[in-house]
Amino acid sequence: MDRFGTVVIGGGQAGLVMGYYLRRLGESFVILEADARIGDSWRRRYDSLRLFSRPRYASLPGLRIPVPDCPTRDELADYLERYAAHFELPVHTGVQVTRVSRDARGFLVDTDSGEYLADRVVVASGWHAVPHRPAFAAELDPAIRQVHSLDYRNPSQLADGEVLVVGAANSGTDIALEAVKTHPTRLAGRHPGQVPIDIDKPSGHFLTPVVMFAFKHVLTRRTPMGRKAMASMQGHGVGLVRNKLEQVEAAGVVRHGRIESVRDGYPVTADGEVLSDVRTVVWCTGSGPDHSWLDLPGAAQHRRGIAVGEPGLMYLGAEFQFAVASATIQGLDRDARYLTRHVRDLGRRSADRMVPADRR
């Protein structure tokens, strides 16, 4: 059994940023990544995915992403792999964590490749692993093909005929705009709000820093405006960034309000319309983390990433961990530095306890 000061669970962007700062701290640590390659969680996203952020905001600390504009999913995945190699971060790939528990020695991290012992654990395994669907999805006619956005890759997965995309946020509008090129397409869901600039135009280049600054420094848990924004976004995600609903409608996508039930096997809108021509439903209804392997009674709640009831347990990359930007690449840096200071302070307190009182 290997012992480390800190075990980081997850080798995506959050885990790598944490590793960058732990290395600078001189901490003994290891990063455990379930996938065979760093960046594979991005490679599994839909083929046409392109980030909202230009290199300044899509780069991790210490190494700029080598692309001229907003990176594609594969460009970001390859960059994460290069980042880990560049800083020689100790990432163990193909290691699936099955249980994290605690005994008198510290945290015991069980994996399918062996056991690790740690004084501290940082959970950076992502917050979008378990797809969310409404309960009535099970009532749809079995002949209707159902795909969640986590599993969607491209239009080849869509059945012939009409497509209904449920969820009008960023992934939903991306998929609807792609589907409408080959299929009659409907988009259902509440308006999530939208950034009032076109980020791909020169004017958007100029105003993007203002929006990014607001997401990171204004809309935080310390400000009334930030707390109000987070409460309104809870369960709905951030507003539209690249796409605008007028663009969706101009492309020929038919808009609806919420889907609230199923009748005779078909989805029903909030105003009672039965969508009986639908042959594929793409659920863009959100997702959540899978922390079922955390066998720790005090793991449920955290404040700014530090578990309230489990000393030494931390989270990075959580939705609204400190700011609206916390779950984005540009927001990880500040949250990781905050956790690194916590790791440093825990280490100092542990060292003090090992020194006899008369020698302190």
Side-chain angles (χ1 to χ4, degrees):
M1 185 186 301
D2 294 325
R3 178 158 198 144
F4 296 91
T6 302
V7 167
V8 179
I9 300 174
Q13 61 269 19
L16 298 181
V17 172
M18 194 70 210
Y20 172 84
Y21 283 109
L22 289 175
R23 169 140 287 178
R24 293 181 65 182
L25 182 65
E27 173 78 350
S28 163
F29 72 99
V30 66
I31 302 171
L32 306 181
E33 168 55 46
D35 285 323
R37 288 178 66 190
I38 295 169
D40 275 354
S41 61
W42 284 97
R43 296 184 184 97
R44 287 194 297 271
R45 301 295 303 277
Y46 49 94
D47 297 346
S48 60
L49 176 62
R50 183 167 163 246
L51 275 69
F52 310 135
S53 306
R54 288 186 167 74
R56 174 180 174 183
Y57 304 104
S59 300
L60 305 185
L63 183 68
R64 190 177 177 88
I65 186 170
V67 296
D69 205 345
C70 301
T72 65
R73 60 153 207 196
D74 290 338
E75 287 172 336
L76 183 66
D78 293 345
Y79 163 69
L80 295 179
E81 206 166 33
R82 288 195 296 272
Y83 187 91
H86 180 83
F87 291 108
E88 299 180 335
L89 299 179
V91 183
H92 295 189
T93 55
V95 178
Q96 178 71 55
V97 173
T98 56
R99 182 171 178 256
V100 176
S101 57
R102 179 172 217 152
D103 63 18
R105 298 168 295 172
F107 290 100
L108 181 63
V109 181
D110 294 317
T111 78
D112 58 2
S113 303
E115 297 176 330
Y116 297 78
L117 197 59
D119 299 318
R120 293 162 289 278
V121 167
V122 178
V123 177
S125 53
W127 291 75
H128 298 283
V130 180
H132 293 164
R133 294 181 178 89
F136 56 72
E139 301 172 26
L140 285 175
D141 188 318
I144 296 177
R145 185 174 298 176
Q146 298 188 53
V147 184
H148 193 276
S149 57
L150 288 182
D151 303 312
Y152 175 82
R153 299 293 175 270
N154 54 59
S156 68
Q157 295 169 273
L158 307 175
D160 293 338
E162 197 167 272
V163 174
L164 171 65
V165 180
V166 181
N170 291 293
S171 295
T173 52
D174 268 354
I175 293 170
L177 285 168
E178 185 171 69
V180 76
K181 296 175 183 177
T182 53
H183 296 70
T185 302
R186 299 175 183 270
L187 176 67
R190 65 184 284 276
H191 191 329
Q194 55 193 34
V195 174
I197 60 173
D198 186 335
I199 65 170
D200 293 319
K201 288 185 176 180
S203 59
H205 296 194
F206 177 76
L207 292 171
T208 292
V210 177
V211 175
M212 293 297 194
F213 181 88
F215 282 3
K216 186 173 181 179
H217 299 286
V218 179
L219 300 180
T220 75
R221 292 190 176 277
R222 286 180 178 168
T223 68
M225 184 186 302
R227 292 191 291 272
K228 183 177 179 180
M230 291 178 197
S232 67
M233 291 185 213
Q234 200 72 42
H236 300 293
V238 299
L240 296 175
V241 179
R242 172 171 289 114
N243 304 327
K244 306 292 183 284
L245 288 182
E246 53 267 29
Q247 296 170 337
V248 173
E249 293 170 349
V253 177
V254 178
R255 291 268 332 277
H256 294 279
R258 294 169 59 89
I259 300 297
E260 294 199 341
S261 63
V262 171
R263 186 185 306 161
D264 299 326
Y266 295 103
V268 181
T269 66
D271 58 8
E273 183 179 358
V274 179
L275 305 181
S276 56
D277 292 329
V278 168
R279 296 295 175 264
T280 304
V281 175
V282 182
W283 298 107
C284 299
T285 44
S287 51
D290 178 10
H291 293 158
S292 57
W293 37 268
L294 280 175
D295 186 12
L296 298 166
Q301 295 184 350
H302 68 87
R303 293 195 185 101
R304 202 170 172 182
I306 298 172
V308 175
E310 247 357 295
L313 178 67
M314 290 158 277
Y315 297 92
L316 183 60
E319 297 282 348
F320 313 129
Q321 184 161 322
F322 177 67
V324 167
S326 284
T328 69
I329 293 173
Q330 74 139 347
L332 292 172
D333 181 81
R334 178 177 55 192
D335 290 341
R337 284 186 278 113
Y338 180 82
L339 296 184
T340 303
R341 291 193 294 271
H342 183 65
V343 169
R344 179 199 62 198
D345 293 344
L346 288 175
R348 286 176 176 173
R349 288 198 290 269
S350 177
D352 287 345
R353 285 195 297 270
M354 296 176 65
V355 177
D358 59 348
R359 296 185 182 179
R360 291 177 189 172

